[in-house]
Amino acid sequence: MPNPIKRIGVLTAGGDCPGINAVIRAVTKTAIYKYDLRVFGIEDGFQGLIENRIAPLSSLHVSGILTRGGTILGTNNRSNPAHCFVGNDEDGKPKFADVTPRCLDNINAHKLDALIVIGGDGSMGCAMPFVEAGVNCIGIPKTIDNDVAGTDLTFGFLTAVATATDALDRLHSTAMSHHRVMVCELMGRNAGWIALHSGIASGSDAILIPEIPYDIDRICTFVKNRMAHNRGFSIIACAEGARSTDGKQIVAHVDPTRPEPIRLGGVGQHIATQIQQRTNIEARTTVLGYIQRSGTPIANDRVLATAFGYHAIEQLMAGKQNRMVSMTNGTLCDVDIKSVAGKQRLIPMDEPLLATARAVKTCFGD
Ligand code: F6P
């Protein structure tokens, strides 16, 4: 029986990351060259689906974008069609509406047979109403945070780790020269993957992650000991979601109009201040921020992104429905998108890298 898939829509949702363009390119070229499909780019994630900003993507559009950071389609981490912010009520409280039907009209108007959703756990969650309405959605896990359930690896993560490692490496020389504690705050939301990997790669002295609550007294004892034993400095790789033993995270701001209202930030400064006050050792903070998400993907991410894009189209053309492509145990595969949508993959306590880091005397603040 001929495959009924003729026209597909592609969208990139959530925070951008290195490698999205490489995925768009792989999806588009595989779809056009191998299967003669028509590909449509949806602008700014689900917002473009709501507003019917959908236009054909040709192989020419995706030529030369493999190495470019960001996304040529634009993205959005504020827009969830099932819970769409539509303004404030008289009391200034945000109002929301379900605009899924409007999106379905736009999908039908463009006769799209499937959607390729390039996004993180939240974006996979946003795709669920479309899956329930009968739209075949194929997910491609994207985020620097590496926290999408159902895959060991998301594209963008390895580039973010390389960037964070470079920053931590650089901080060593100034930390050494001034005999300071240098805290580097890294992204990752509620997962500590970027801090764990870059912390190990850079030989950071302490790694603080949300999954292991820290005790500030233990960190202070640790840095004081290092000073006493002539190390003269300490480097702390600190995930933005790091939490103290009282369970509290440092929140930069709360925006109730967003699908994810809590925006993290500030824990690096908080920890540096605490260390300096309690130990009298000078402590400084560097917040690496969006540098981790920006710029050209490293080679491994280009390969992963291309493989993911190709695999997504292969699954679609093999007649599969509602899958998310995945890299599990080093193998390219796919999982049921419904089983992973909206689920975060945190660092499990039996993660071998935790024992590895502890073996070389890395402090987790516990
Ligand atoms: O999910 C990617 C990420 O960069 C997180 O690490 C970070 O907490 C968040 O996005 C920042 O989001 P925004 O772009 O809304 O500031």
Side-chain angles (χ1 to χ4, degrees), residues 39-166:
V39 183
F40 292 80
I42 300 164
E43 290 174 11
D44 297 335
F46 288 98
Q47 196 60 30
L49 201 54
I50 297 169
E51 294 169 358
N52 197 20
R53 288 188 278 121
I54 302 171
L57 263 187
S58 71
S59 55
L60 209 58
H61 288 119
V62 298
S63 181
I65 66 169
L66 172 67
T67 61
R68 272 167 56 189
T71 159
I72 58 163
L73 293 174
T75 188
N76 184 311
N77 57 7
R78 311 184 66 97
S79 170
N80 174 2
H83 191 67
C84 178
F85 174 63
V86 289
N88 291 325
D89 65 15
E90 325 57 88
D91 301 327
K93 290 216 182 88
K95 284 192 297 183
F96 298 92
D98 181 359
V99 296
T100 307
R102 200 192 300 170
C103 297
L104 290 171
D105 286 348
N106 294 333
I107 290 171
N108 289 334
H110 291 274
K111 298 193 174 64
L112 301 181
D113 302 310
L115 279 187
I116 306 291
V117 178
I118 305 169
D121 61 314
S123 308
M124 299 304 153
C126 290
M128 283 310 99
F130 301 105
V131 168
E132 276 151 30
V135 179
N136 188 2
C137 293
I138 304 289
I140 302 182
K142 159 228 67 104
T143 169
I144 60 165
D145 304 337
N146 203 32
D147 63 349
V148 179
T151 183
D152 295 343
L153 202 52
T154 58
F155 71 88
F157 170 66
L158 295 173
T159 304
V161 168
T163 305
T165 302
D166 179 56

Side-chain angles (χ1 to χ4, degrees), residues 15-16 77 143-145 187-189 194 240 258 263-264 290 293:
D16 72 337
N77 57 7
T143 169
I144 60 165
D145 304 337
M187 282 187 164
R189 287 195 306 170
I194 297 176
E240 64 181 355
R258 301 178 61 148
R263 315 313 292 175
L264 296 167
Y290 297 91
R293 268 174 36 184

